[in-house]
Amino acid sequence: MKTDKNKYSASMQAVKLPVTVSSAAVIVALCFLVYSWTLAVRDYHAQEFTVEYSQGLANASASFLGHLIEDEDTDTLSTVGQQLQSDNAVTKLSIYRRNGELIYQSGEVFDGQSQPVIANIAFDGNYNGYLIVYFSNSDILPNYDNNFWLTPELIWIFGALIWLILVTLLYAKQWFSPSTKKPQNKARNYQSMESNVQLIKSLIRRKKDHENTPAISSLIIKARWERLNQQSTNTLLRVLNRWLPQNGFFVTQFDNNLLTLGLRLEYSPMNQNPLYALHNCLNQLQLEPKIIVHRLNFGEEIYQTFFDIIDSGIWFEKNLIETGSDYNWSAEKVIDIELEDGIVVELCRLKAPDAEQKSVIERQVRYLSDV
C-alpha cells in the first residue's frame, strides 16, 4: 500500500511541471483571444458611440437655430456658433440658409481627425437651413472610455491570477508542509556526507602510500559525488582499488569535489582504454564524470573554470599531442580557454572508442565493477 502511495506521489510530481507549463500556454492563448475580441468590440461600439454622440449634438444645436434664421438675427447666430465652437469635440462649424448661403463659419478641419455631421434646421415645421459640424474623434472617445470598466489590461491580470491560483493548488502541499520533506532531505544529505567521508578516508590512505612518488601526468575528475549512497560508494571504492594500481595511478588530492590522480613514471604514457573504462564505471554510478588529462599544474579555481566550460567526457591538453609521439590520441572537439594572465589552454575531447576498443573496454568495466 505504501509502495502504491509512493508511486502515486512520484507520478503527481512528474505531472506538475507539464501541467504548470501547459496551463500557462492555454491561459495566455485564451487571454490573447479575449483581448483581441475585446479590442474589436470596443472599436465597434466606439464608432457607434461617436456617430450617436456627434449626430445628437448636431441635432440638438440645430433645434435652436431655426427661429434665428427666420428672424435674420445674424448676431445671435454668431454668438450661438461661438458657443458651439467652444466644445472641444467641435473642430469646425458652418451654418447655411436653405438656398446654400453661408451665414456663419468658424474653426478648421484637421485631416484624419474630423468627421462631418449634417443636421437640418427648421422653424414651425418648415425647413429653412442646415448645420454642418466637424467633430474630433480623439475628444469624443474619452467620454466613451470613462464608461467602459473592462480594460484590455485587466484581462491579462485576470489570466495571471487564475494561473497563480492553479499553481498554488498544485504545489500547496509541497510549499506549506515542509515538515514532511525536511527529515527526508536531511537523511539523504547525511547519507551522502557519510558516503563521501568514507570515500575520502580511503583515498587519503592511498595517498599516504605514495607521498614521495613523482607524478608524470595527472587526471582531474569532477563528478556528482553527492549522488553516492552506501552501495554505490562500495562499488566506487572497489573500482578505484582495482583500477589505480593496475594502471599506475595514485591519489594526490581529493578536495572540493575534485579527485586528482597522478601517473607514476614507469607507467607513462597512459593508455586510452583504461580511461574509457574508468569513465564508463563512473557513468554507471550516475556520477556524470568530467575527466581532464594534463601535464601542466593549475590551481583549483582554474580547474573549476575548465569544468564549468566543458561537458561530460574525457578531455586532454592539446600539447600532449604536439610535444611528443607518446600520445597519438584523436580528438572530436577542441575548446580554447584563455586564462587571466593571457595564457591560452587548448582542451580536446577524446574521441569515442571504435568497435574493437569497445569490447576490450566492456571486459575491463565488468572486471572493475563485479564483486
Side-chain angles (χ1 to χ4, degrees), residues 69-98:
I69 295 178
E70 190 70 21
D71 297 339
E72 298 291 337
D73 192 351
T74 56
D75 293 336
T76 305
L77 280 172
S78 299
T79 302
V80 173
Q82 291 174 3
Q83 290 177 349
L84 292 175
Q85 182 66 39
S86 63
D87 192 327
N88 292 331
V90 178
T91 61
K92 185 178 180 180
L93 177 70
S94 300
I95 302 174
Y96 294 87
R97 297 185 190 275
R98 179 179 179 179

Side-chain angles (χ1 to χ4, degrees), residues 2 51 81 93 114 129 145 147-149 164 166 168 226 239 242 287 299 314 356:
K2 185 179 289 185
V51 172
L93 177 70
S114 300
D145 290 338
N147 298 322
F148 198 83
W149 66 271
L164 286 175
L166 177 62
T168 302
E226 71 277 3
V239 168
R242 293 176 178 179
L287 300 181
I314 303 173
E356 183 179 352

Side-chain angles (χ1 to χ4, degrees), residues 3 50 52 58 61 68 71 88 110 151 168 218 228 236 255 257 296 298 306 328 337:
T3 303
T50 301
E52 292 177 0
S61 302
L68 297 178
D71 297 339
N88 292 331
F110 299 96
T151 62
T168 302
S218 296
L228 290 170
L236 177 60
D255 190 22
N257 291 329
L296 300 176
F298 299 108
F306 290 167
N328 188 21
I337 303 176

Side-chain angles (χ1 to χ4, degrees), residues 317-332:
E317 293 175 1
K318 190 176 180 181
N319 61 7
L320 287 178
I321 302 175
E322 296 175 347
T323 57
S325 59
D326 292 338
Y327 295 94
N328 188 21
W329 295 353
S330 55
E332 59 182 1

